[in-house]
Amino acid sequence: MAVPVRKFDAVIVGAGGAGLRAALQLSEAGLKTAVLSKVFPTRSHTVAAQGGVSASLGNSEPDHWHWHMYDTVKGSDWLGDQDAIEFMCREAPNVVVELEHFGMPFDRNADGTIYQRPFGGHMSNFGEKPVRRACAAADRTGHAMLHALYQRNVRANTQFFVEWMALDLVRDEQGNVQGVVAMEMETSEVYVFQAKATLFATGGAGRIFASSTNAFINTGDGLGMAARAGIPLEDMEFWQFHPTGVAGAGVLITEGVRGEGGILRNSAGERFMERYAPNAKDLASRDVVSRAMVTEINEGRGCGPNKDHVLLDITHLDPEVIKSKLPGIREISIKFAGVDPIKAPIPVVPTCHYQMGGIPTNYRGEVVVHDQVVSGFYAAGEVACASVHGANRLGTNSLLDLLVFGKSSGNSMIEFIKAAPKDLPPLATADVDRSLARVARLDGQQNGTPVETARAAMQRTMQNHCGVFRFKDMLKEGVEKILEVESMVKTIEIADKSKTFNTARLEALELENLIEVAKATMISAEARTESRGAHVRDDAADTPEHPNGRDDQNWLKHTLWFRDANRLEYKPVNLKPLTVETIALKTRSY
Amino acid sequence: MTTRTVKFSIYRFDPEKDAKPYMKDYSVELDSSDRKLLDALVKLKVVDDSVSFRRSCREGVCGSDAMNINGRNGLACITDIDSLKQPIQIRPLPGLPVVRDLIVDMTQFFKQYHSIKPYVVNDTPAPDRERLQSPEDREELNGLYECILCACCSTSCPSFWWNPDKFVGPAGLLAAYRFIADTRDTATNERLDNLEDPYRLFRCHTIMNCVDVCPKELNPTKAIGKIKDLMVKRMA
Ligand SMILES: Cc1cc2nc3c(=O)[nH]c(=O)nc-3n(C[C@H](O)[C@H](O)[C@H](O)COP(=O)(O)OP(=O)(O)OC[C@H]3O[C@@H](n4cnc5c(N)ncnc54)[C@H](O)[C@@H]3O)c2cc1C
Ligand code: SF4
Ligand code: SF4
Ligand code: FES
């Protein structure tokens, strides 16, 4: 079938922090770049980030990128690749200062420098004591950053295709990436965007879970597209449950609240984190705090009529500090929890928040399958797995990841495009046909499954079988169930067949991506028979031989899930940094 | 779980099959956990998947789901259902072309935003580290930088309805002042030149609709007043 083709040097799918940072590199280098986004750029979910972006600027007290690196490796439970982590932490001060020059309205210290606050897992001197490393614009850091990056792109004349949804990746017979198939949402017209280099910056997929801090549009499209095109997904068993989602609503309350002095309390009013993490207490790493909370709730010390949440207390803070440093949180708390945190504590529960895994890349943003670079294909941001977050991400390291790897993938693309032949090669059509068939199937489906039925089944299955604590039997059953859901998804049906801004069709296409992510997650989790970071199983308990249930002998390796027959392969963790010494394996405690 | 039934009247229009827009009545069963108008619309879409609207963050920060709710512009995701008189009348934002149902064409709105050069201009060589800014100077940006470009304000402004191509509108003017107020920006004069025009700035007649509806409690009128003051000062 003939599909119109638009040609570019580069195509970027996604206009969140990662996509916009990459776009800036390419536009400023004068390359013909198309940026596609399902939503107007400033509506991307980066806008919701609250707490901060990390960089060892040392504006309030001594700090060093090497300490930041140590914290990140430790936070990752040693599953992060140390070359990528060194690269990110060294680059952090540069990219954050650059962002300030772009116009980011950071809060300021009295001396005019960027304001920094403490955050979970940020320590000075290799884990000694908390340090102020999170650079913040009140509790609206993501909003300020996304707008600043968009604004800078306006200045650079970046070409945006707003409300275009990429459907599938296009690869030629050799597997080289040639671009994407995409649909204009307003008209349902399908086009091919052909380019020398293609970047996925499509963000997370938190919507595989029933309860999530993620936006409706976080449906893992990049992951689904990659998986269908034969690219494996790395470490998908690792999902971060943020300790403080508003109970019942899922909306996030930033860790910055605890950074500013907030305290978690159980039904007895006890500051229970003192028992679980005597040093870092409420500012221990996220997986540690989330598990402590669930343990408190499971042991009957939860709050409220159903004893199903704990309380985040900031009533002891100066109301002026709350108003100036945490205004957005106060707004959220009043709107979604019905409490003014100046007067009463906020009900919170661990909520699915962030996907540590993703499309495997190296620190240059090139997509790699094992050691093999996929020519012409790049990924950055939450959709990618560099891997800097390993088994558990430190707060504020994601916004940093967007800046560092958005920029580095942009630079890699520039290099690649400059070295590539001037003319684009002939377009391979197999993947284009496959994509069109997917849309045609949906439009022709009869007597199928309603989208909501399949989506709800998926979200329930993930929530019940693959949550904060995981159980061997539940995982096994979860795999069976999620494969059943997959067969439901194969027949999803929409009633609305209009060509004009058909959001029902878009949601159906999104569900086809979500299900790939859900399968990858459940299957990778069932196979990993140890506990590490955010992945904790009942049959891999804390023993002297395997502290915290971690089994380095057998499991110090990355998972690669291939869609084809749900095959799993593994690859080694890169323990060798670029210039410094390996941060040696150690038991993780806070 | 307690349930309740909520009645709606929703503006419907699909240019492919409707000769003209019409209002359609719905009643939706809601759980006690469905507190916001967006929760109800999402439930409604399960029953009738052709009801079309934009949404993303569901927490009032992305600016996607601005609509006209019982005659007033607002974000569905932070509007309490129980605060609304039933049947809840939902229409698209007024004054912009309707693409379908509650989805409007925002081109004109963004064009005006882009027209004020929405980025910090500073051609002096950047230092190795951050440009310094005192906390007091930074505070000048509060109430300005938080705009989410939802268009609730501009589409409730009569001056914008009449001249969407010529009058920058409250959101764009708020953004213009955000850059004027930034001590790091060196283009104040050019920015004022850009607005010195019988329409671009001066069509604002201080009707204050914009302030009334802004879901982020920002005050475009005040920002507009400050730009006007600077113009006057500059003339003197
Ligand atoms: C509530 C919340 C608070 C957070 N706070 C912090 C924090 O304080 N610090 C921190 O470091 N991290 C934080 N995080 C994490 C961080 O914000 C995200 O990981 C990060 O913003 C993701 O950025 P991104 O650029 O990868 O993707 P996103 O910002 O999600 O952007 C994805 C883009 O891809 C586009 N897209 C997706 N699919 C398609 C498709 N098929 N076709 C076309 N376009 C598509 C979307 O339109 C969008 O433009 C937070 C996350 C949440 C949810
Ligand atoms: S104050 Fe000015 S900008 Fe605001 S609604 Fe009135 S005329 Fe429009
Ligand atoms: S000023 Fe307020 S109403 Fe207007 S676009 Fe910005 S956030 Fe929306
Ligand atoms: S959905 Fe984002 S503002 Fe309402």
Side-chain angles (χ1 to χ4, degrees):
Chain A
M1 194 183 146
V3 179
V5 181
R6 307 184 80 144
K7 296 182 179 184
F8 298 88
D9 290 320
V11 51
I12 294 178
V13 184
L20 289 178
R21 187 62 193 81
L24 200 52
Q25 283 316 95
L26 290 152
S27 291
E28 288 185 342
L31 295 174
K32 196 178 171 210
T33 306
V35 182
L36 276 60
S37 175
K38 292 198 285 190
V39 294
F40 184 77
T42 62
R43 316 215 188 286
S44 306
H45 204 49
T46 296
V47 80
Q50 300 172 352
V53 48
S54 51
S56 56
L57 297 175
N59 282 350
S60 305
E61 53 192 324
D63 199 3
H64 196 283
W65 67 261
H66 203 180
W67 303 344
H68 185 187
M69 176 181 173
Y70 175 86
D71 294 343
T72 304
V73 172
K74 176 179 170 189
S76 83
D77 218 346
W78 275 268
L79 193 70
D81 287 326
Q82 297 196 13
D83 55 342
I85 295 176
E86 176 181 340
F87 181 77
M88 178 176 83
C89 297
R90 284 173 79 118
E91 276 299 305
N94 294 334
V95 292
V96 166
V97 163
E98 232 169 34
L99 183 65
E100 193 282 328
H101 295 161
F102 294 164
M104 168 90 171
F106 281 113
D107 285 0
R108 300 291 172 153
N109 296 313
D111 64 358
T113 55
I114 294 171
Y115 170 78
Q116 298 184 282
R117 63 163 55 113
F119 235 77
H122 296 189
M123 315 283 263
S124 67
N125 207 12
F126 305 101
E128 219 172 74
K129 62 175 203 320
V131 66
R132 293 170 167 269
R133 186 180 292 145
C135 309
D139 51 7
R140 304 189 178 99
T141 311
H143 170 281
M145 173 167 146
L146 188 67
H147 281 252
L149 286 172
Y150 175 67
Q151 290 159 356
R152 189 73 175 185
N153 271 284
V154 171
R155 178 177 177 272
N157 265 318
T158 300
Q159 192 180 359
F160 288 103
F161 290 79
V162 174
E163 300 189 327
W164 281 73
M165 180 177 175
L167 302 181
D168 277 291
L169 191 64
V170 180
R171 302 178 79 184
D172 68 13
E173 290 80 32
Q174 287 74 48
N176 303 329
V177 167
Q178 293 194 307
V180 292
V181 180
M183 179 183 275
E184 185 181 33
M185 290 160 60
E186 190 177 327
T187 60
S188 302
E189 299 282 339
V190 175
Y191 285 75
V192 172
F193 284 69
Q194 193 181 359
K196 292 171 188 161
T198 301
L199 173 75
F200 275 7
T202 51
R207 288 274 157 179
I208 61 169
F209 288 93
S211 163
S212 165
T213 65
N214 282 202
F216 281 105
I217 63 166
N218 286 15
T219 52
D221 296 357
L223 302 172
M225 291 189 276
R228 281 191 297 275
I231 308 274
L233 304 182
E234 178 174 342
D235 292 342
M236 290 304 296
E237 60 271 46
F238 298 101
W239 282 84
Q240 179 163 80
F241 287 78
H242 195 291
T244 55
V246 173
V251 177
L252 180 82
I253 301 288
T254 174
E255 195 164 290
V257 169
R258 281 169 284 141
E260 298 289 347
I263 290 170
L264 290 165
R265 298 186 189 283
N266 60 19
S267 56
E270 182 204 3
R271 182 180 193 180
F272 59 86
M273 279 313 299
E274 286 178 331
R275 276 188 278 120
Y276 296 87
N279 252 328
K281 301 192 180 95
D282 299 270
L283 283 178
S285 210
R286 287 183 181 169
D287 54 334
V288 175
V289 180
S290 282
R291 277 194 297 274
M293 290 167 69
V294 172
T295 306
E296 290 298 301
I297 293 167
N298 287 348
E299 291 178 0
R301 292 185 294 277
C303 306
N306 302 325
K307 294 179 164 295
D308 58 358
H309 59 263
V310 302
L311 294 172
L312 175 58
D313 186 3
I314 52 172
T315 54
H316 53 287
L317 298 188
D318 178 352
E320 286 316 308
V321 170
I322 297 176
K323 285 180 192 163
S324 70
K325 295 285 186 259
L326 304 167
I329 285 314
R330 185 165 176 237
E331 192 184 323
I332 284 176
S333 172
I334 292 171
K335 288 199 174 114
F336 290 94
V339 295
D340 182 346
I342 292 177
K343 296 182 199 130
I346 314 166
V348 289
V349 283
T351 306
C352 169
H353 183 56
Y354 185 86
Q355 125 210 338
M356 266 75 72
I359 299 174
T361 71
N362 58 27
Y363 69 87
R364 289 181 295 275
E366 297 164 323
V367 174
V368 286
V369 178
H370 292 288
D371 280 341
Q372 203 64 34
V373 170
V374 180
S375 178
F377 192 29
Y378 303 79
E382 193 166 336
V383 71
C385 181
S387 141
V388 283
H389 309 302
N392 170 65
R393 172 179 73 100
L394 288 193
T396 72
N397 265 355
S398 172
L399 291 185
L400 176 61
D401 166 348
L402 310 184
L403 295 172
V404 170
F405 297 106
K407 183 176 177 185
S408 79
S409 57
N411 285 336
S412 303
M413 291 165 81
I414 293 170
E415 236 176 83
F416 180 80
I417 292 165
K418 293 206 161 140
K422 211 174 132 280
D423 292 322
L424 288 167
L427 183 72
T429 54
D431 286 348
V432 180
D433 292 341
R434 173 169 59 79
S435 192
L436 293 173
R438 201 156 73 83
V439 179
R441 197 286 299 156
L442 184 60
D443 282 341
Q445 181 72 48
Q446 283 176 347
N447 305 318
T449 315
V451 172
E452 177 56 22
T453 308
R455 184 170 48 208
M458 173 193 68
Q459 291 175 335
R460 219 172 25 240
T461 305
M462 294 311 295
Q463 196 78 24
N464 295 341
H465 291 262
C466 213
V468 174
F469 282 111
R470 295 170 176 181
F471 303 89
K472 183 173 186 238
D473 299 340
M474 291 293 278
L475 285 166
K476 197 155 167 277
E477 204 184 317
V479 170
E480 285 164 27
K481 283 196 175 166
I482 210 70
L483 294 175
E484 280 165 31
V485 177
E486 184 193 23
S487 53
M488 291 164 77
V489 172
K490 284 191 175 134
T491 65
I492 46 173
E493 180 180 352
I494 49 175
D496 182 9
K497 301 280 161 60
S498 171
K499 294 251 173 228
T500 308
F501 221 118
N502 187 329
T503 49
R505 182 185 289 120
L506 300 169
E507 284 185 38
L509 293 166
E510 288 175 336
L511 180 59
E512 294 185 341
N513 295 321
L514 282 168
I515 191 65
E516 299 300 336
V517 183
K519 276 188 296 172
T521 300
M522 192 72 85
I523 289 165
S524 304
E526 200 254 344
R528 184 177 286 268
T529 53
E530 65 157 355
S531 297
R532 182 185 298 270
H535 174 69
V536 169
R537 301 173 51 122
D538 66 329
D539 56 341
D542 189 10
T543 62
E545 217 189 335
H546 296 300
N548 299 332
R550 195 176 87 195
D551 176 1
D552 290 325
Q553 216 160 24
N554 293 302
W555 287 103
L556 185 61
K557 58 188 181 187
H558 296 293
T559 309
L560 294 178
W561 169 84
F562 292 78
R563 179 171 184 265
D564 180 30
N566 290 309
R567 186 172 82 252
L568 294 176
E569 294 178 9
Y570 292 91
K571 72 172 184 183
V573 174
N574 188 346
L575 295 171
K576 205 170 155 13
L578 297 170
T579 66
V580 292
E581 285 194 3
T582 297
I583 291 174
L585 285 159
K586 221 172 107 178
T587 304
R588 206 161 143 253
S589 66
Y590 284 94
Chain B
M1 207 178 290
T2 51
T3 62
R4 64 196 191 286
T5 307
V6 178
K7 289 189 162 34
F8 292 91
S9 171
I10 299 184
Y11 178 102
R12 301 297 314 267
F13 177 61
D14 179 349
E16 276 175 41
K17 46 179 209 276
D18 305 322
K20 57 180 203 314
Y22 60 99
M23 298 299 287
K24 185 166 176 181
D25 294 337
Y26 291 94
S27 43
V28 189
E29 283 284 307
L30 298 179
D31 299 332
S32 52
S33 61
D34 298 316
R35 300 174 55 184
K36 305 294 173 190
L37 180 57
L38 183 61
D39 299 330
L41 288 174
V42 167
K43 280 255 159 95
L44 171 59
K45 198 167 170 60
V46 173
V47 184
D48 178 352
D49 71 358
S50 70
V51 178
S52 308
F53 52 91
R54 295 187 177 101
R55 85 284 178 267
S56 181
C57 71
R58 61 84 175 84
E59 57 181 270
V61 293
C62 77
S64 296
D65 61 342
M67 50 189 75
N68 188 271
I69 306 157
N70 280 351
R72 197 187 141 89
N73 292 351
L75 301 174
C77 63
I78 54 171
T79 301
D80 276 320
I81 300 166
D82 296 335
S83 71
L84 298 169
K85 196 172 148 264
Q86 293 183 30
I88 303 169
Q89 304 261 346
I90 308 182
R91 297 166 193 273
L93 289 176
L96 295 175
V98 173
V99 176
R100 179 178 177 182
D101 297 347
L102 305 174
I103 299 175
V104 291
D105 178 352
M106 310 252 308
T107 311
Q108 199 56 256
F109 173 78
F110 289 125
K111 212 178 209 164
Q112 290 298 0
Y113 174 67
H114 292 148
S115 80
I116 61 98
K117 296 211 163 76
Y119 42 83
V120 167
V121 174
N122 188 329
D123 294 327
T124 62
D128 282 344
R129 50 175 313 150
E130 65 264 50
R131 292 184 200 276
L132 300 180
Q133 185 175 50
S134 71
E136 296 72 33
D137 285 343
R138 166 62 182 77
E139 233 183 272
E140 292 298 313
L141 306 183
N142 287 349
L144 304 171
Y145 82 95
E146 303 92 324
C147 172
I148 59 173
L149 299 175
C150 65
C152 282
C153 56
S154 296
T155 59
S156 68
C157 167
S159 299
F160 190 77
W161 294 339
W162 309 136
N163 294 292
D165 51 336
K166 296 194 200 124
F167 174 49
V168 172
L173 290 168
L174 183 92
Y177 187 65
R178 179 249 173 271
F179 293 101
I180 292 171
D182 197 323
T183 51
R184 299 169 298 172
D185 186 275
T186 56
T188 298
N189 260 319
E190 291 86 328
R191 293 184 187 282
L192 294 178
D193 291 346
N194 173 282
L195 297 173
E196 187 121 50
D197 169 290
Y199 282 96
R200 286 181 61 70
L201 171 69
F202 290 102
R203 276 288 129 164
C204 168
H205 300 305
T206 334
I207 311 166
M208 302 276 278
N209 285 4
C210 54
V211 183
D212 230 41
V213 298
C214 175
K216 303 312 281 183
E217 290 168 29
L218 308 180
N219 190 333
T221 314
K222 193 164 141 204
I224 293 167
K226 288 193 170 168
I227 302 178
K228 287 181 176 168
D229 288 350
L230 286 173
M231 295 255 187
V232 173
K233 240 192 243 158
R234 191 165 76 144
M235 280 191 288

